[in-house]
Amino acid sequence: MADTPLSTLNNGVEMPVLGFGVFQTPPEETRSAVDAALRAGYRHIDTAAAYGNEREVGEAIANSGIGRPEVFIETKIWISDYGYDQTLHGFDKSARKLGVDQIDLLILHQALPTEFDRTLQAYRALETLLADGKVRAIGVSNFMVDHLTALLDQATVIPAVNQIEVHPYFTQHEVQAFGARQGILTQAWSPIGGITFYRDGEHTSTLQDPVIREIAQAHGKTPAQVMLRWHVQQGRSAIPKSTKPARIAENFDIFDFELTDAQLDAIDGLDTGRRGGPEPADITLANFGRPIPEA
Ligand code: NDP
């Protein structure tokens, strides 16, 4: 089995460019999904305190027979745990549930612009965890340009990653370009447009797109594989989710073909400018706050 290509983060840490996501994967299905992913060759798992399945992710990794250092574990601090001491404790909760001493990449799940002081304190806690060797890299998620600008004004460590919604129908070019200038790697969530399926209630959308389907046919690949290849060729990390072993393997099988510049441009041309997920500024403690259980 071929090794996953690696992306070198801005602090020199290497991260497999293609990871496996577990958002909305119920805890009772998470072990088998992560197990299928590790068998398919993924060596990077993306979870979050808010997903309620860190324990099962950790168990699947521990039971896989693959050494801990071979698997890159990424998780996220939820907004209810923002603040300096709270975020340090948030690390402890996640690390204990995952069953690890060190987390490879720990990120803030949301910008929480309505209480950005708490966000800044949370980020300061990530910097402490990094200095103490508790995490190997730190980053953010759902930060727009103004949030990144405000963070960079105060931070001593530039985030390694900004995990944001990116798929052919919503590319957030400006956020990506700003990140690239600062050395922040864009990591695509809903990389095959999953958020548009949940919103529309069925699997249509990007998977049925005629432009993507035609490119897929030309390469003897599936639309999902074409979208994931588009991310990787444009230098993004991507973290597709599935609970189905055949799709999990399909989504990993993207390293044996290459899209042409014209095909990359054609996919770029599908951007609608319409976000599938919530507006980052609408994520507030009042609307989305909920306690993250102790380990
Ligand atoms: P994805 O773009 O990964 O799409 C997932 C959806 O597509 C699921 O409904 C899945 O169904 C289906 N699917 C997966 N593979 C295929 C395939 N090959 N063919 C057809 N259908 C397929 O969307 P997600 O929103 O799950 O995003 C991926 C990951 O990104 C999450 O799991 C999470 O780790 C992260 N994320 C982060 C967010 C953040 O705020 N930071 C927000 C949202 C996601 P099935 O499981 O039935 O196969």
Side-chain angles (χ1 to χ4, degrees):
M1 187 187 300
D3 288 341
T4 333
L6 300 170
S7 198
T8 304
L9 302 178
N10 62 12
N11 66 352
V13 165
E14 292 188 321
M15 177 183 83
V17 64
L18 189 68
F20 180 68
V22 294
F23 174 47
Q24 294 182 326
T25 303
E28 61 278 11
E29 289 177 46
T30 301
R31 256 187 304 263
S32 60
V34 172
D35 185 57
L38 294 171
R39 284 175 198 275
Y42 296 79
R43 291 294 180 269
H44 170 183
I45 313 292
D46 175 70
T47 181
Y51 298 170
N53 56 17
E54 288 174 309
R55 202 177 304 278
E56 290 75 15
V57 167
E59 285 170 5
I61 294 169
N63 294 335
S64 67
I66 300 167
R68 165 71 190 93
E70 304 304 315
V71 184
F72 190 96
I73 302 180
E74 174 173 1
T75 193
K76 317 182 187 79
I77 300 282
W78 188 238
I79 53 173
S80 309
D81 283 338
Y82 283 12
Y84 186 77
D85 291 333
Q86 295 91 324
T87 296
L88 291 179
H89 185 55
F91 164 84
D92 283 335
K93 289 192 280 189
S94 287
R96 280 200 209 130
K97 289 175 192 167
L98 287 160
V100 299
D101 298 325
Q102 188 189 50
I103 290 171
D104 296 289
L105 173 60
L106 186 62
I107 67 179
L108 299 185
H109 206 144
Q110 298 288 343
L112 198 64
T114 49
E115 307 200 41
F116 204 68
D117 279 354
R118 291 176 84 115
T119 308
L120 290 173
Q121 293 310 317
Y123 194 79
R124 201 163 62 78
L126 297 192
E127 291 176 332
T128 298
L129 291 163
L130 184 68
D132 291 350
K134 300 272 180 67
V135 301
R136 297 174 64 225
I138 60 176
V140 295
S141 177
N142 298 305
F143 272 50
M144 302 294 97
V145 170
D146 49 341
H147 311 139
L148 288 172
T149 305
L151 179 71
L152 291 173
D153 192 47
Q154 301 288 323
T156 53
V157 176
I158 296 177
V161 162
N162 186 18
Q163 184 184 116
I164 55 172
E165 179 182 349
V166 184
H167 48 75
Y169 288 171
F170 190 59
T171 63
Q172 307 214 66
H173 177 74
E174 266 180 44
V175 187
Q176 290 198 51
F178 182 88
R181 285 198 296 278
Q182 304 291 336
I184 304 169
L185 179 73
T186 295
Q187 185 172 57
W189 67 250
S190 269
I192 64 168
I195 191 80
T196 63
F197 317 154
Y198 320 143
R199 189 189 52 190
D200 298 340
E202 55 182 38
H203 285 190
T204 52
S205 212
T206 44
L207 291 173
Q208 306 296 335
D209 187 278
V211 170
I212 297 172
R213 289 181 80 95
E214 193 183 317
I215 295 171
Q217 259 170 13
H219 288 281
K221 288 285 179 178
T222 67
Q225 289 171 326
V226 164
M227 288 186 265
L228 293 168
R229 184 73 207 176
W230 166 75
H231 287 294
V232 169
Q233 275 187 232
Q234 292 189 336
R236 285 182 293 281
S237 170
I239 44 170
K241 171 264 178 188
S242 177
T243 50
K244 303 186 169 52
R247 287 176 175 175
I248 291 170
E250 173 189 326
N251 294 345
F252 193 74
D253 183 18
I254 61 160
F255 299 110
D256 61 351
F257 74 112
E258 188 146 9
L259 301 172
T260 65
D261 287 346
Q263 289 169 334
L264 294 172
D265 289 347
I267 300 171
D268 285 339
L270 299 175
D271 190 13
T272 64
R274 271 202 317 279
R275 192 182 286 288
E279 196 56 52
D282 292 344
I283 307 280
T284 63
L285 279 171
N287 292 340
F288 288 89
R290 59 191 167 85
I292 298 298
E294 295 297 325

